[in-house]
Amino acid sequence: MNIQNFLAQKIYKSIILAGAPVNYQVQIRKSEKLKFGDYQVNGIMTLAKKLQMSPQILVNKILKNVNLNGIVQKIEIIGPCFLNIFLEPKWLSAQIDYALITQNLGITLNQKQTIVVDYSSPNVAKEMHVGHLRSTIIGDAIVRTLEFLGHNVIRANHIGDWGTHFGMMIAFLEKQNMIDCCDIALADLEILYRDAKKAYDEDIDFAKKARSYVVRLQNGDEKCRRLWHKLVDITMKKNQLLYERMSVTLKNQDIMGESFYQSMMEEIISDLKKKNIAVSSQGATVVFLDTHYNKSGDNVGVIIQKKDGGYLYTTTDIACVKYRSETLQADRVIYYIDSRQNKHLTQVWSIARQAGYVKNNIQLEHHMLGMVLGKDGRPFKTRSGDTIKLSDLLDEAVHRATNLILAKNPKISQNDLQNRAEIIGIGSVKYADLSKNRTTDYIFDWDSMLSFKGNTAPYMQYAYTRVLSIFRKSGINIEEEILGSTFLFNEHSVMLGIHLLRFEETIQKVAHEGLPHIMCSYLYDLASIFSQFYENCPIISEKDKNKKTTYLKLSLLTAKTLKIGLHTLGINTIERM
Ligand code: ARG
């Protein structure tokens, strides 16, 4: 149960009865300290002023109407009108038992949505680099979270697999006698791309040929299509290996790249013209949006078809959002892209909405991403100033994790070492990214991300193994149900219990806002609260049967919550460290 929402609804009812307007938003949040109860209601003073009522009278009215029998132990009024809610331990205990016997920790979905998540989206003929890290990892965490909650999730890997540069690449492969290139590696493609660009800029005949190949590709010429396919294949095979290595759930069938929408373009242009949304301007087709002006106050317009007939990134995205609404029937579309593309997306959406290409009530959201910076505060690059390839980054993470594990455990078998180094190394890179607010830039720092202290993957993974060891020591199988009922009877068990029950409001918030760092903080707090509980409550040696049952159940729910929580983030756990 989402306790926060549940309480908010109850209080909402009595606040309305006390005279508040129906659109009143109850301000309820978790209390910072145990002595302030479990939840706090704020904002009553402001409401009293609005209603021209004395705060005391308003509070009394609210409390008289609220029905929380059996749920709340007491409600304390602090100052004139702050309400501190203390939940009833018996009720909390029953919620713990319920979470333990139900699937998905007892979380229920109010409204199932079809949600398209656009993420990762690398470009063909280029290796994924550190710039794709955030979109890939954060996007995947949200996909996992939404799926856990029961939504119908459609992964969309909007790869950059179309554009004039493909004509150039194909012409260059031909020039180099490489049209039967089955075994080109992606790294070689990058070099080829650079050389092709050079030839394109320097050799007029080559440039002409390259342009003619763009047209042939568009018209479905067999040879061009075959080569283009090969380029996409080479790129995405390598990327797929990276996805698997990072436990990113994207598969080949999730690729819906720019090329996928090309057949829709011609019709969209003529339709937009027919609807008087697009106009011809100096040979090109342009949409003038009354919301988009440049710095000098001119309405510059968004080009959707160039003079030479070519379509643009914007045109593709218009077709793409239309497809997602009309064909995929999305209720919500979330884009995990760099914040620098915000203007692009708002233009696309505004054109699509004007043209009626998307359902009125569709939620279109750009979940913006800040950048990954080096220690110097500038975009993270290699010493020589090149972008850092994702595969190199992962290799280094695993290498560093190997040393770390060996230092702690020199006798470990080679097999175990490799296994754990992958999980800890890659987990560290992912967690470091996930635990920062996605909207801001962050500094990439190996030492802090691989530390066993603080909000890091190694710390969280270790915390999980510590909980498991309790079960190993007491000879209890974690998969088995522990008989008997929970009874939260002391401060430590109440504190842990209430935090465990906040998992639902946490995960729903993550799903709503697309902010996985909220889950990271929650799990980190859980690990700390569990540590305190463990130090103060003799779980294994406890003689009183009821108390022991409660301790074990809380430990079991902690283990499950940590595992599920980390899993929704895409962080793997191990049994021993
Ligand atoms: N391929 C693009 C890039 O690397 C990202 C695409 C994002 N998705 C979209 N629908 N525009 O910048």
Side-chain angles (χ1 to χ4, degrees):
M1 177 189 291
N2 183 328
I3 299 178
Q4 190 177 21
N5 277 355
F6 174 75
L7 291 175
Q9 275 163 20
K10 291 272 185 188
I11 289 165
Y12 171 80
K13 275 192 195 146
S14 52
I15 283 193
I16 297 298
L17 283 174
V22 280
N23 62 356
Y24 183 76
Q25 292 268 342
V26 178
Q27 291 174 37
I28 180 163
R29 59 179 171 84
K30 78 175 224 251
S31 307
E32 292 309 327
K33 290 206 176 94
L34 206 59
K35 65 173 184 208
F36 299 138
D38 301 307
Y39 288 87
Q40 267 173 22
V41 182
N42 302 328
I44 296 178
M45 181 74 105
T46 324
L47 179 66
K49 273 199 195 123
K50 233 195 211 149
L51 299 178
Q52 297 182 340
M53 210 187 262
S54 101
Q56 281 87 352
I57 294 181
L58 180 58
V59 162
N60 285 337
K61 275 194 171 180
I62 295 170
L63 291 185
K64 201 180 91 211
N65 291 325
V66 73
N67 179 6
L68 285 165
N69 287 344
I71 296 164
V72 159
Q73 193 180 41
K74 60 175 178 186
I75 300 181
E76 265 177 14
I77 308 168
I78 304 293
C81 52
F82 294 107
L83 299 182
N84 290 346
I85 299 178
F86 293 76
L87 292 164
E88 172 61 54
K90 246 199 204 138
W91 183 78
L92 287 173
S93 302
Q95 302 304 314
I96 299 270
D97 286 337
Y98 179 74
L100 275 171
I101 55 161
T102 41
Q103 274 256 311
N104 286 1
L105 305 180
I107 297 176
T108 45
L109 185 67
N110 307 336
Q111 199 193 10
K112 182 171 171 162
Q113 287 188 309
T114 293
I115 306 173
V116 174
V117 184
D118 181 320
Y119 71 110
S120 191
S121 311
N123 296 320
V124 166
K126 292 196 185 127
E127 292 202 61
M128 272 210 270
H129 55 80
V130 68
H132 293 106
L133 189 71
R134 303 204 85 182
S135 173
T136 306
I137 290 174
I138 296 175
D140 205 55
I142 295 305
V143 158
R144 287 163 171 268
T145 301
L146 295 169
E147 259 173 3
F148 174 81
L149 289 174
H151 290 292
N152 174 28
V153 179
I154 301 174
R155 295 162 174 76
N157 197 352
H158 191 87
I159 62 171
D161 61 354
W162 204 249
T164 46
H165 53 286
F166 285 97
M168 180 184 88
M169 280 299 273
I170 294 167
F172 196 71
L173 285 173
E174 192 186 61
K175 186 172 174 223
Q176 303 293 98
N177 273 328
M178 290 175 86
I179 50 170
D180 285 320
C181 56
C182 335
D183 49 0
I184 306 183
L186 182 53
D188 300 332
L189 274 190
E190 284 217 5
I191 299 169
L192 276 171
Y193 184 90
R194 239 174 284 159
D195 295 346
K197 179 89 177 68
K198 197 157 174 263
Y200 186 86
D201 291 339
E202 290 170 2
D203 177 348
I204 303 174
D205 289 335
F206 176 74
K208 216 182 205 169
K209 185 157 210 177
R211 278 195 292 270
S212 76
Y213 274 28
V214 177
V215 180
R216 278 167 67 176
L217 180 64
Q218 264 165 4
N219 294 340
D221 171 273
E222 209 215 318
K223 185 178 82 184
C224 286
R225 291 246 19 133
R226 192 169 48 82
L227 278 170
W228 168 77
H229 250 301
K230 200 163 266 170
L231 296 173
V232 177
D233 247 22
I234 294 171
T235 311
M236 291 316 288
K237 271 213 180 94
K238 168 104 195 251
N239 287 341
Q240 191 54 41
L241 292 176
L242 278 175
Y243 291 149
E244 272 153 34
R245 189 171 183 200
M246 291 193 292
S247 305
V248 164
T249 58
L250 281 166
K251 298 270 173 336
N252 215 33
Q253 69 260 25
D254 303 319
I255 296 176
M256 285 185 259
E258 295 178 26
S259 65
F260 185 76
Y261 305 99
Q262 297 311 308
S263 59
M264 297 167 68
M265 307 291 237
E266 204 179 312
E267 208 183 304
I268 286 182
I269 300 285
S270 67
D271 183 58
L272 288 175
K273 280 183 169 164
K274 207 168 71 206
K275 290 177 175 152
N276 283 327
I277 296 170
V279 292
S280 296
S281 169
Q282 296 165 22
T285 307
V286 184
V287 178
F288 291 99
L289 293 167
D290 45 18
T291 41
H292 288 81
Y293 293 89
N294 69 7
K295 282 192 191 109
S296 27
D298 304 321
N299 191 336
V300 276
V302 186
I303 303 178
I304 54 171
Q305 187 170 27
K306 288 189 286 189
K307 235 193 265 183
D308 66 6
Y311 305 116
L312 292 104
Y313 186 52
T314 309
T315 335
T316 308
D317 262 321
I318 296 171
C320 170
V321 76
K322 182 173 192 278
Y323 179 81
R324 288 171 181 176
S325 179
E326 286 177 358
T327 308
L328 300 179
Q329 290 287 315
D331 301 303
R332 184 179 180 199
V333 187
I334 316 177
Y335 298 74
Y336 285 93
I337 325 180
D338 198 309
S339 29
R340 287 168 295 186
Q341 292 195 27
N342 187 255
K343 190 168 156 209
H344 158 74
L345 280 180
T346 47
Q347 288 172 341
V348 165
W349 298 340
S350 136
I351 296 170
R353 284 201 190 271
Q354 268 189 55
Y357 291 164
V358 293
K359 289 184 277 189
N360 278 337
N361 57 353
I362 196 170
Q363 294 165 252
L364 301 172
E365 301 169 24
H366 180 194
H367 288 189
M368 292 191 238
L369 305 170
M371 284 196 298
V372 183
L373 305 176
K375 276 197 169 153
D376 55 1
R378 303 169 60 93
F380 192 34
K381 294 256 165 78
T382 61
R383 258 171 229 258
S384 56
D386 293 326
T387 48
I388 295 178
K389 292 179 182 157
L390 205 47
S391 55
D392 293 343
L393 195 79
L394 298 181
D395 286 343
E396 177 155 3
V398 173
H399 174 72
R400 284 176 184 253
T402 307
N403 293 341
L404 203 73
I405 298 165
L406 271 179
K408 279 200 168 226
N409 190 354
K411 288 199 209 106
I412 189 169
S413 77
Q414 195 56 29
N415 213 356
D416 273 353
L417 177 63
Q418 267 175 11
N419 217 342
R420 287 181 205 181
E422 280 288 317
I423 293 178
I424 296 174
I426 296 198
S428 298
V429 171
K430 291 180 79 174
Y431 196 87
D433 200 307
L434 291 164
S435 58
K436 316 282 187 317
N437 188 323
R438 67 167 159 75
T439 60
T440 46
D441 299 344
Y442 78 92
I443 291 179
F444 193 93
D445 175 27
W446 286 115
D447 295 331
S448 63
M449 74 177 70
L450 280 155
S451 166
F452 276 90
K453 287 194 203 91
N455 191 8
T456 64
Y459 174 79
M460 293 309 305
Q461 287 164 326
Y462 180 63
Y464 177 67
T465 62
R466 274 222 328 183
V467 190
L468 288 194
S469 74
I470 294 167
F471 291 91
R472 233 176 278 132
K473 280 184 208 146
S474 39
I476 293 172
N477 185 347
I478 186 154
E479 297 306 327
E480 264 167 52
E481 195 187 321
I482 299 166
L483 297 176
S485 310
T486 303
F487 178 58
L488 304 177
F489 62 95
N490 59 10
E491 192 181 306
H492 295 288
S493 61
V494 170
M495 242 177 53
L496 179 56
I498 179 85
H499 192 73
L500 284 166
L501 294 173
R502 283 200 181 111
F503 181 68
E504 182 161 343
E505 67 200 37
T506 306
I507 194 165
Q508 283 171 347
K509 197 159 182 213
V510 174
H512 184 248
E513 294 173 25
L515 292 171
H517 78 277
I518 295 175
M519 179 56 76
C520 295
S521 308
Y522 168 83
L523 294 175
Y524 179 60
D525 288 345
L526 175 58
S528 322
I529 293 172
F530 184 81
S531 269
Q532 281 172 43
F533 164 82
Y534 184 74
E535 273 159 34
N536 289 285
C537 303
I539 306 177
I540 296 170
S541 61
E542 177 61 60
K543 293 281 176 312
D544 181 299
K545 207 167 151 276
N546 292 335
K547 288 183 182 170
K548 183 158 181 150
T549 301
T550 295
Y551 289 155
L552 284 172
K553 285 198 155 192
L554 286 171
S555 306
L556 183 59
L557 191 55
T558 304
K560 287 191 174 187
T561 306
L562 283 174
K563 183 163 186 160
I564 290 178
L566 289 170
H567 184 79
T568 62
L569 292 168
I571 301 292
N572 292 324
T573 47
I574 29 185
E575 307 269 303
R576 286 166 204 255
M577 243 161 128

